[in-house]
Amino acid sequence: METEGRVWKFGDHVDTDLIIPARFLNVSDPEELAKSCFIDLRPEFAREVRSGDIAVAGVNFGCGSSREHAPWAMKAAGIAAVVAKSCARIFYRNAFNIGLPVLESEEAADMLQDGGRAAVDIVKGNIRDMDTKRVFFAKPVPEFMMEIIQSGGLLPYIREKQARGV
Amino acid sequence: MAMTITEKILAAHAGREQVSAGELIEVDVDLALANDITAPMAIRMFNELGAKEVFNRDLVALVPDHFVPNKDIASAEQVKLMREFARKQRIRNFFELGETGVEHVILPEKGLVLPGDLVIGADSHTCTYGALGAFSAGMGSTDVGAILATGRTWLKTPAAIKLIYEGACGPHVGGKDLILYTLGLLGVAGAVYKTLEFTGEAVDRLPMSHRFTMANMAVEAGAKNGIFVPDETARAYIEGRSTRSGRFYRSDPDAVYEREIRIPVDAMEPQVALPHSPDNVRPISALNSVPLDQVFLGSCTNGRLEDLREAAGLIRGRRVAPGIRFIVIPGSPLIYREAVKEGLIETFLEAGGVIGPPCCGPCLGGHMGILAEGEKALSTSNRNFVGRMGHPKSEVYLANPAVAAASAITGYIASPDAL
């Protein structure tokens, strides 16, 4: 599960109001939400983001509101993975649940540059800076959360479990 | 092995004798909650799972509070979807306009949360119910959609930080100031994944409304839950609200905490969180004169009757400063009615304030008091992120209800002593 794309770099403590402000939460369709993703922080984001791009952030990414609209907006906009120094608890859980992988690596978050290119291998947990060729390793995630990501999210994961009768 | 109150509640809901920090467990949920922003998405997940019936129609609460009375067609459609789901599933605890208010004010008021319960809500401020000695945490819509179907979820048992508040709060200093001060100490990522356990003689003396305020803002430090050991104050609060009796757990004396922090409160002043973060906290005397455009009294943090009483006590016989928009939103219809009976609403109206219907109001920039570019507001709510109450170039300061009252009267951020 490798994905390569442009790096969108964000700072520390980017809250879910910045990922998608509440004034756009009167709908819950991910494609609609994607149009307003990061609108107050990076107004060009929704216009310029391409499928497969990677969001890179500092500490406590996704703090604040529990709105799952935030990872949905990012995913529908095209973001294939989040690389952060650390994530807020609810955002981290929401992202895995909807099939948006999060990799935590301080070094990668420091070294990757906005506008550069990076490749992320979700299963191996490594992040490659395509410009400098450096490789970084993310903190391991619990095994069953990897299974959730490999299933594509919590719902397909539960359905698979139900199908297997577990 | 010794356990904290949080570990005891989690163990009881996981069917285990013992749990300890870091363990992944599966738990039974006593109450699942969603609001008009998060419920439509949770319902979609529920349907996508192929579920037909909710796990228990009496253990689900659906509260339209963020954009009600519906502010536009799109938000009306969201509430409609919620209402139809509630009807179809025969969910009793769907609160229609007239019954609805701020979810975290309504649920304890209706006796839907008791000590020892495990509550999961698709709203980050679900942690409010820790004030009653319940384990409660916010999650996203997918998690809550899965809970609606199964009644269960998984959790990582959090490590705990014990906060010991020593002494007694002075006049016009209370739960809001203790939690703002604590956020200043810990920072917005200071308790990520952890429990904040609020203890000490200063909080033992606090009424429930102040404890709700404190537990409510545990999430602003990144915490999974905030909790108080339920005592006689909690017991008196739940009296007559429910047919259930609750389970009163206590932390063992030798329970393990990752950190213990002692906070003396005797000399504490009212605290203010400056833009744009709830941890950017200063004592009020450290602020220069900050002129305001708007003051908001309300929200799941400070929209309770005691909050309105404290503010009205300072406002009675005075006028709101020219140019200040003073917005008061009672947290529930019951609070609204009591506030009318006690003359609080009349006090606010005579002073030049405006009263909104019970809902989240401008707290999250939805409606009923959005800020324009460059405007400044003082709010009794819980977040002051960039753009939280309107334009990304507006500013929000957070403080307690007494500071809100004094600020509405003077027109700048003021201590109640300034009146």
Side-chain angles (χ1 to χ4, degrees):
Chain A
M1 284 176 90
E2 198 178 48
T3 177
E4 187 191 322
R6 180 207 150 143
V7 169
W8 290 87
K9 194 159 179 176
F10 301 95
D12 291 337
H13 308 295
V14 171
D15 57 74
T16 52
D17 279 83
L18 280 175
I19 301 175
I20 177 124
R23 62 185 185 274
F24 301 107
L25 299 186
N26 54 1
V27 296
S28 49
D29 171 34
E31 301 296 329
E32 274 302 309
L33 296 167
K35 293 177 191 165
S36 322
C37 192
F38 293 116
I39 193 162
D40 291 340
L41 195 59
R42 301 281 297 263
E44 77 285 12
F45 178 83
R47 202 169 51 241
E48 294 177 11
V49 66
R50 294 288 171 265
S51 181
D53 282 0
I54 292 159
V56 176
V59 299
N60 202 26
F61 184 70
C63 59
S65 160
S66 71
R67 62 189 72 160
E68 201 169 285
H69 309 61
W72 276 119
M74 290 173 68
K75 190 183 177 194
I79 293 294
V82 178
V83 175
K85 288 186 182 174
S86 65
C87 277
R89 181 188 75 81
I90 303 175
F91 181 89
Y92 186 80
R93 189 169 171 132
N94 284 347
F96 276 84
N97 280 347
I98 69 155
L100 174 67
V102 176
L103 292 90
E104 291 184 328
S105 163
E106 289 220 4
E107 223 190 347
D110 271 333
M111 301 307 288
L112 291 172
Q113 297 299 317
D114 189 62
R117 293 196 71 78
V120 167
D121 187 317
I122 294 139
V123 176
K124 291 183 186 143
N126 64 37
I127 304 138
R128 204 146 25 108
D129 186 330
M130 301 306 286
D131 301 317
T132 64
K133 305 295 176 206
R134 282 189 65 179
V135 178
F136 310 97
F137 295 92
K139 273 198 289 193
V141 298
E143 197 177 326
F144 88 101
M145 292 192 75
M146 276 312 302
E147 289 174 24
I148 291 176
I149 278 293
Q150 284 173 310
S151 303
L154 183 68
L155 297 191
Y157 171 77
I158 293 175
R159 279 198 296 259
E160 279 173 28
K161 265 178 65 172
Q162 284 168 343
R164 290 202 309 268
V166 217
Chain B
M1 215 180 99
M3 288 193 283
T4 65
I5 175 173
T6 296
E7 288 165 342
K8 287 182 184 181
I9 297 171
L10 293 180
H13 287 80
R16 305 246 308 248
E17 287 290 308
Q18 178 85 43
V19 297
S20 50
E23 269 187 276
L24 288 168
I25 52 171
E26 256 197 272
V27 291
D28 289 321
V29 174
D30 294 317
L31 185 72
L33 161 73
N35 59 50
D36 50 330
I37 289 183
T38 59
M41 217 176 236
I43 293 165
R44 190 167 79 217
M45 300 304 152
F46 174 87
N47 290 333
E48 279 181 25
L49 262 179
K52 293 283 174 276
E53 283 185 8
V54 294
F55 75 104
N56 183 330
R57 63 194 175 90
D58 294 329
L59 304 184
V60 175
L62 298 175
V63 187
D65 60 357
H66 280 58
F67 295 153
V68 295
N70 300 139
K71 68 170 182 142
D72 54 21
I73 295 168
S75 63
E77 295 291 343
Q78 304 283 297
V79 175
K80 185 180 171 194
L81 201 153
M82 235 175 135
R83 182 183 295 119
E84 285 172 353
F85 181 78
R87 276 197 195 131
K88 189 174 164 205
Q89 296 286 337
R90 293 180 298 141
I91 291 167
R92 202 160 16 114
N93 295 311
F94 167 77
F95 297 95
E96 194 51 88
L97 206 67
E99 293 176 297
T100 201
V102 184
E103 51 195 320
H104 308 308
V105 176
I106 290 271
L107 264 50
E109 193 182 276
K110 302 272 183 196
L112 292 174
V113 182
L114 295 182
D117 282 352
L118 191 151
V119 183
I120 301 295
D123 188 277
S124 61
H125 293 111
T126 301
C127 55
T128 307
Y129 315 123
L132 283 168
F135 175 90
S136 58
M139 288 189 188
S141 293
T142 295
D143 273 315
V144 169
I147 293 168
L148 289 179
T150 65
R152 291 175 70 77
T153 193
W154 66 271
L155 290 167
K156 191 161 97 176
T157 310
I161 298 174
K162 185 178 189 176
L163 301 158
I164 307 154
Y165 298 91
E166 296 172 327
C169 293
H172 303 306
V173 173
K176 186 60 165 286
D177 306 291
L178 300 188
I179 190 64
L180 285 175
Y181 182 86
T182 306
L183 292 169
L185 277 184
L186 293 173
V188 287
V192 175
Y193 286 97
K194 299 188 197 325
T195 293
L196 291 182
E197 191 173 318
F198 302 104
T199 73
E201 52 180 343
V203 299
D204 291 344
R205 291 193 178 102
L206 290 179
M208 281 312 303
S209 64
H210 287 245
R211 298 184 192 183
F212 284 122
T213 304
M214 293 179 74
N216 174 269
M217 291 188 76
V219 68
E220 307 327 327
K224 181 175 230 153
N225 69 315
I227 199 160
F228 289 73
V229 170
D231 59 4
E232 287 311 310
T233 305
R235 198 181 292 277
Y237 179 88
I238 62 167
E239 179 88 31
R241 291 183 198 265
S242 173
T243 51
R244 298 187 298 133
S245 50
R247 284 153 295 172
F248 287 67
Y249 295 100
R250 313 184 67 82
S251 295
D252 291 321
D254 50 347
V256 179
Y257 294 92
E258 189 183 87
R259 273 173 87 185
E260 294 194 13
I261 304 171
R262 292 183 178 276
I263 300 173
V265 311
D266 287 325
M268 193 180 286
E269 295 176 39
Q271 305 286 307
V272 181
L274 279 55
H276 290 284
S277 181
D279 68 355
N280 189 15
V281 175
R282 307 274 186 286
I284 196 160
S285 63
L287 267 68
N288 294 320
S289 174
V290 179
L292 296 167
D293 300 287
Q294 182 169 304
V295 173
F296 170 48
L297 172 61
S299 84
C300 57
T301 316
N302 282 117
R304 297 185 178 79
L305 190 59
E306 293 84 345
D307 300 318
L308 303 194
R309 275 186 197 139
E310 183 164 18
L314 289 161
I315 286 172
R316 198 162 293 129
R318 295 185 164 100
R319 286 284 306 171
V320 169
I324 295 290
R325 311 184 297 260
F326 179 42
I327 300 169
V328 180
I329 301 192
S332 74
L334 185 66
I335 292 169
Y336 200 152
R337 285 200 299 272
E338 286 298 316
V340 169
K341 276 189 214 156
E342 291 184 21
L344 312 178
I345 298 297
E346 198 178 349
T347 298
F348 295 133
L349 290 172
E350 277 176 0
V354 64
I355 316 295
C359 68
C360 300
C363 165
L364 76 160
H367 61 168
M368 295 192 192
I370 305 303
L371 301 173
E373 181 171 358
E375 290 188 332
K376 289 183 170 64
L378 183 119
S379 173
T380 61
S381 56
N382 43 45
R383 289 188 177 135
N384 57 349
F385 301 147
V386 170
R388 175 74 180 179
M389 284 177 71
H391 196 281
K393 286 188 180 133
S394 61
E395 291 187 347
V396 180
Y397 294 75
L398 306 175
N400 75 29
V403 172
S407 303
I409 300 301
T410 59
Y412 57 91
I413 298 179
S415 163
D417 299 338
L419 294 178

